[in-house]
Amino acid sequence: MDVSKILDPLNNAQRQAVCAEAANVLVLAGAGSGKTRVLVHRIAWLLASENVSPYGILAVTFTNKAAGQMRARIEQLRGTPSGGMWVGTFHGLAHRLLRAHWKEADLLQHFQVLDSEDQFRAIRRLIKEMGLDEGQWPAKESQWYINARKDEGLRPDNLEHHNDPHKRGMIEIYAEYERYCQRVGAVDFAELLLRSHQLWLRNPELLTHYQQRFKFILVDEFQDTNTIQYAWLKLLAGDNTGMFAVGDDDQSIYGWRGARVENIHQFSKDYTGTETFRLEQNYRSTGNILNAANALIDHNSERMGKELWTDDGDGELIQLYAAFNEQDEAQFIIDKVKDWIDKGGLRSENALLYRSNAQSRVLEERLINYGIPYRVYGGLRFFERQEIKDALAYLRLTNNREDDASFERIVNVPTRGIGSRTVEIIRDTARNSGSSMWQAAYHLIEHKELASRALNALQFFVKRIEEIKSAIENLTLHEQIEHVIHESGLIDHYKKEKGERGRTRLENLDELINAGKNFDEDALEEEIETSDVLTAFLSHASLEAGERQGDEWDDCVQLMTLHSAKGLEFKQVFLCGLEEGMFPHRLSSEDASKLEEERRLCYVGMTRAMQKLVISYAEKRRLYGEEKIARASRFISEIPTEFLEEIRLGSSVATLSTMAAVEDKEAPVKLGQRVMHAKFGEGIVLNYEGQGRHARVQVNFEMAGSKWLVMEYANLQFC
């Protein structure tokens, strides 16, 4: 093929990396610098200029989508199919290898691959068969433990328990799980890499064959490799294969799931004669965004170093908004989104990024209130999340014993020895007697129609629900929610789920308490009877969960965690909740390496923005059911002030969408007006929406913070 077609679209730095003569090459590719382009053009260069056979190339990436895009771009550039090359994910290539050499790998010819859910079910079943208490050895925690050990290249025989009973149990579960997989001919995702690595170690002639076949190995997102992936690559490369690694140590954000940023630092030491190239020209963001991101990430000490720059001008300053609380922050963000849309922009050009999933609830609530379609990228809406549905099911059952769906959901959550057979008996009894499952359970307990273990477990559950019901009768809504979450055992249950997922579930449960507190106060203003607040809240949760979420192809606002945002770009990006304890996360702020990863995560979020970047934090935020004073994140102070524009209340930016209220002669209040409330005291009007009896006003009270009140019930006095 024509070599000029390969090189002409590249800038100078990209061209140097693509044409590098060194066998081993490390490309430090900054955000938006065209790293995939360099990798694809390197393959085309090897085929066209170096006369390398397609059979001699292996290219590795992390997702099937990325692998498919890489194949398509290679074929488009070459004008011919990419047959002969091995292009795929680590797991996909390892699977291909094991299918070809199943016998040498000590596998059945038609071995099955377990997905995460299949693996969880198998482990859970084995724990029961071993007679272990799943309360002490939860299946989720055991699954996490097994996969983490495999990612480290460790089998049960390589592990020591040091007389720790819990660790001993984990190792025994791991060993039993291995025996089960071998017996039934099953391989999980983590096993694919570990088994294929051991296949080469135990069959040197096979390793030699592949080392001689693949003359060039190319790896995308190298900073995300874990221990076994790095070992797999190093073993395959041997001494004579050329390694071409593309990555960015500044975007290494997956340490919590095993990725080792140290691998990219180690590359030059393990691969002799490595030549390093830096891609620093950015084709995505404005100069101010890049300069701010550069300044932030420069506070990390363990960097390989690079400075992003652009030819496209400085653009707008980064807007910084200090909100009174999370409600005010959400309102400001949605106002900015509305302004973007009103000026002809697409909803999908807006991304709302947050550190914790729990932060999405307030944002979702505002979007729903304004009828703005949105999509939670890579996740569920707040009221659809497992832990939230579990907590709501407990609340529903205490509120209504006839709720069979809630009964079934939580009768064995957390695990208490009520198996599927017992639930089936309860269900049949209810059906035959025309009663609810709760009544059927009472009947079975009273007449002792279950085996003793199941009977005791069911009796414990019924008693616990009755105790919760009695305890919460005179509590406020958020106190009811908090009591239910703790007394149900859900907190302890989800504490056992290790890693980021378990931590996120606990944060979401905390946020449910906050939702109750907000709803409680709104209900007070709207004069909902105290006895009906729980029912009203549960109805509210059902309605919000039932609201249509925008499909991927719809024009809708994008909501996602910062981790989910990697690799994406949007014209306007909002970084929400930049407060100490929130971001950086409280569990990372005292650990130097974890703090650096948090800073890299902030850097990733900033570099998603193409035209506009808005950073916000709240001076108060409700956490764990209490409103606490918040402090701006250290990451904000690490951005030079010359790249920031602080948005103040009363400015044209902060009140863009609310100026209509100022000009509306029928509006009973004006923005900035001082008012007095019988309970909350004196405050200032921030916003006003609606007309007539349904009109609402947002007031920032000196003692109680920012609140939305219904004008019909607020009885405000104007100062």
Side-chain angles (χ1 to χ4, degrees):
M1 63 175 293
D2 185 359
V3 173
S4 63
K5 183 180 177 183
I6 300 171
L7 300 181
D8 286 351
L10 307 177
N11 64 34
N12 188 52
Q14 293 171 339
R15 193 176 296 117
Q16 288 181 17
V18 165
C19 302
E21 295 182 4
N24 299 314
V25 176
L26 175 61
V27 181
L28 295 175
S33 65
K35 66 177 180 61
T36 306
R37 166 179 283 196
V38 164
L39 199 147
V40 168
H41 283 248
R42 173 67 171 183
I43 293 174
W45 169 264
L46 291 172
L47 295 172
S49 182
E50 302 298 317
N51 296 317
V52 176
S53 166
Y55 291 90
I57 290 177
L58 181 140
V60 192
T61 187
F62 274 83
T63 67
N64 288 317
K65 181 179 179 181
Q69 289 174 344
M70 191 184 298
R71 276 191 294 267
R73 289 175 69 172
I74 293 169
E75 291 176 357
Q76 183 180 21
L77 193 57
R78 295 182 65 214
T80 60
S82 58
M85 281 181 274
W86 279 30
V87 180
T89 64
F90 277 102
H91 293 107
L93 296 174
H95 176 254
R96 181 173 179 174
L97 188 68
L98 293 176
R99 286 291 180 200
H101 304 285
W102 57 272
K103 189 174 292 183
E104 295 94 329
D106 194 23
L107 291 169
L108 298 178
Q109 183 175 7
H110 301 293
F111 66 86
Q112 67 177 106
V113 179
L114 300 177
D115 63 20
S116 181
E117 184 61 30
D118 291 335
Q119 184 190 33
F120 169 74
R121 292 178 187 276
I123 292 171
R124 189 175 189 181
R125 186 167 60 252
L126 289 170
I127 289 171
K128 290 180 180 177
E129 291 175 0
M130 293 170 71
L132 296 175
D133 179 5
E134 197 181 343
Q136 285 185 277
W137 288 278
K140 275 291 180 189
E141 183 182 355
S142 301
Q143 181 182 29
W144 174 87
Y145 177 85
I146 291 169
N147 290 337
R149 299 296 81 75
K150 288 187 177 187
D151 286 344
E152 294 166 0
L154 301 172
R155 296 288 188 193
D157 293 344
N158 307 129
L159 301 171
E160 296 286 342
H161 55 72
H162 302 292
N163 295 318
D164 181 328
H166 184 261
K167 191 173 288 185
R168 182 191 291 114
M170 284 295 188
I171 296 171
E172 289 174 357
I173 292 168
Y174 184 5
E176 184 62 28
Y177 172 70
E178 288 237 302
R179 286 190 285 271
Y180 161 79
C181 288
Q182 193 64 30
R183 185 171 67 253
V184 302
V187 175
D188 57 53
F189 272 42
E191 181 70 18
L192 290 169
L193 265 295
L194 181 54
R195 182 70 66 113
S196 61
H197 182 252
Q198 291 180 337
L199 168 67
W200 282 331
L201 287 176
R202 294 169 181 172
N203 298 272
E205 70 291 344
L206 200 60
L207 173 62
T208 300
H209 165 76
Y210 282 101
Q211 286 176 336
Q212 290 176 346
R213 171 178 176 171
F214 295 121
K215 296 300 183 183
F216 294 91
I217 299 175
L218 302 97
V219 188
D220 196 9
E221 303 285 11
F222 197 83
Q223 77 282 348
D224 291 337
T225 54
N226 62 26
T227 300
I228 192 64
Q229 288 164 346
Y230 189 83
W232 191 88
L233 289 168
K234 193 168 183 293
L235 187 62
L236 177 58
D239 297 325
N240 300 312
T241 298
M243 281 289 292
F244 189 90
V246 182
D248 183 4
D249 58 320
D250 289 334
Q251 295 190 75
S252 179
I253 60 173
Y254 297 119
W256 49 274
R257 69 182 189 197
R260 299 180 75 253
V261 69
E262 296 86 354
N263 289 347
I264 199 168
H265 296 158
Q266 185 69 24
F267 186 89
S268 296
K269 298 174 184 175
D270 286 345
Y271 295 93
T272 57
T274 293
E275 191 171 358
T276 301
F277 298 89
R278 286 172 171 78
L279 305 185
E280 298 173 305
Q281 183 174 2
N282 177 281
Y283 293 93
R284 175 188 298 150
S285 307
T286 63
N288 282 323
I289 293 171
L290 296 179
N291 290 333
N294 286 334
L296 172 85
I297 201 64
D298 199 43
H299 285 78
N300 276 5
S301 58
E302 301 296 325
R303 293 183 66 222
M304 303 184 77
K306 65 183 173 314
E307 287 278 315
L308 296 180
W309 59 274
T310 180
D311 274 338
D312 293 338
D314 291 339
E316 297 183 25
L317 293 174
I318 297 168
Q319 294 185 340
L320 175 64
Y321 181 65
F324 292 110
N325 58 19
E326 72 275 14
Q327 300 287 340
D328 180 33
E329 178 188 46
Q331 186 63 50
F332 170 75
I333 290 169
I334 303 313
D335 283 348
K336 295 283 292 178
V337 171
K338 285 169 58 186
D339 182 55
W340 179 275
I341 297 167
D342 290 344
K343 290 179 177 176
L346 298 175
R347 290 185 286 262
S348 57
E349 292 170 338
N350 293 269
L352 281 51
L353 311 183
Y354 35 79
R355 177 63 180 85
S356 166
N357 268 310
Q359 291 171 257
S360 78
R361 184 193 63 81
V362 180
L363 298 168
E364 290 184 54
E365 194 175 75
R366 281 287 185 274
L367 288 162
I368 289 171
N369 286 346
Y370 283 99
I372 300 174
Y374 70 93
R375 174 175 176 255
V376 179
Y377 184 93
L380 297 170
R381 292 156 61 100
F382 182 78
F383 285 108
E384 293 173 344
R385 292 167 186 155
Q386 176 183 315
E387 59 278 10
I388 299 303
K389 292 177 78 171
D390 288 344
L392 291 174
Y394 269 99
L395 286 163
R396 287 192 173 99
L397 193 60
T398 59
N399 197 44
N400 175 20
R401 300 298 194 285
E402 309 303 303
D403 190 335
D404 284 357
S406 294
F407 182 97
E408 277 207 62
R409 182 177 184 91
I410 57 167
V411 69
N412 200 41
V413 177
T415 307
R416 52 175 64 90
I418 301 174
S420 57
R421 177 58 187 149
T422 302
V423 174
E424 190 178 328
I425 292 171
I426 298 171
R427 194 186 297 114
D428 288 344
T429 303
R431 184 167 53 248
N432 293 335
S433 61
S435 66
S436 67
M437 292 184 73
W438 178 267
Q439 293 170 332
Y442 253 112
H443 173 85
L444 292 169
I445 292 169
E446 185 180 354
H447 295 87
K448 295 183 170 55
E449 294 182 11
L450 293 171
S452 58
R453 183 180 175 187
L455 188 69
N456 292 336
L458 187 60
Q459 199 163 10
F460 173 82
F461 171 70
V462 167
K463 183 181 178 185
R464 175 58 57 91
I465 296 296
E466 294 287 10
E467 290 172 346
I468 290 173
K469 172 67 175 176
S470 176
I472 68 174
E473 281 182 352
N474 297 315
L475 300 180
T476 62
L477 176 60
H478 80 275
E479 290 172 337
Q480 291 181 51
I481 296 170
E482 186 170 15
H483 185 87
V484 165
I485 286 172
H486 284 274
E487 293 305 312
S488 63
L490 289 177
I491 292 289
D492 292 335
H493 174 62
Y494 284 118
K495 273 183 180 176
K496 293 170 182 173
E497 189 170 332
K498 300 295 184 182
E500 184 82 3
R501 179 178 292 182
R503 191 168 73 190
T504 296
R505 292 197 194 282
L506 295 176
E507 290 172 347
N508 286 339
L509 289 172
D510 287 334
E511 182 56 27
L512 185 63
I513 299 171
N514 295 340
K517 182 122 185 172
N518 291 334
F519 192 87
D520 225 350
E521 292 167 353
D522 289 345
L524 180 67
E525 295 307 319
E526 295 176 22
E527 297 185 352
I528 295 175
E529 288 293 330
T530 305
S531 59
D532 288 329
V533 171
L534 177 57
T535 301
F537 177 74
L538 293 172
S539 298
H540 163 75
S542 297
L543 290 170
E544 285 220 357
E547 282 282 344
R548 179 178 169 272
Q549 176 174 311
D551 293 325
E552 186 171 1
W553 52 85
D554 287 345
D555 177 25
C556 48
V557 175
Q558 305 294 305
L559 276 68
M560 67 192 75
T561 64
L562 284 147
H563 283 101
S564 298
K566 188 169 177 290
L568 303 176
E569 58 183 33
F570 304 91
K571 288 187 177 179
Q572 180 165 242
V573 167
F574 297 86
L575 295 189
C576 319
L578 260 73
E579 299 136 33
E580 287 294 309
M582 179 75 76
F583 190 31
H585 196 279
R586 64 183 184 277
L587 298 180
S588 303
S589 57
E590 302 302 322
D591 183 301
S593 63
K594 289 182 179 178
L595 179 60
E596 292 212 343
E597 180 158 321
E598 290 283 292
R599 189 175 284 109
R600 292 195 293 268
L601 188 58
C602 187
Y603 173 83
V604 165
M606 293 173 70
T607 54
R608 300 310 95 196
M610 301 168 71
Q611 297 176 6
K612 289 190 175 186
L613 175 61
V614 182
I615 296 173
S616 61
Y617 67 96
E619 295 172 353
K620 294 180 183 179
R621 189 173 292 272
R622 190 159 283 154
L623 290 171
Y624 316 117
E626 297 180 12
E627 195 166 60
K628 298 183 179 180
I629 300 298
R631 186 160 52 94
S633 169
R634 69 191 74 185
F635 297 155
I636 293 175
S637 65
E638 292 172 358
I639 299 173
T641 55
E642 61 260 35
F643 305 125
L644 295 173
E645 175 193 5
E646 292 194 54
I647 306 300
R648 300 293 185 184
L649 282 176
S651 73
S652 60
V653 177
T655 59
L656 265 171
S657 71
T658 57
M659 292 306 292
V662 178
E663 298 166 359
D664 185 353
K665 292 184 170 57
E666 295 183 9
V669 295
K670 304 294 184 186
L671 297 185
Q673 186 172 4
R674 299 193 72 81
V675 295
M676 179 68 73
H677 185 273
K679 176 182 177 183
F680 302 128
E682 192 171 335
I684 297 175
V685 175
L686 301 180
N687 203 347
Y688 182 85
E689 62 180 33
Q691 293 182 344
R693 63 189 300 268
H694 296 297
R696 301 201 314 157
V697 63
Q698 184 187 23
V699 181
N700 182 48
F701 294 101
E702 292 178 0
M703 301 299 293
S706 178
K707 297 184 181 297
W708 279 93
L709 307 175
V710 178
M711 286 295 294
E712 185 177 6
Y713 305 115
N715 296 320
L716 294 174
Q717 296 179 4
F718 305 115
C719 302

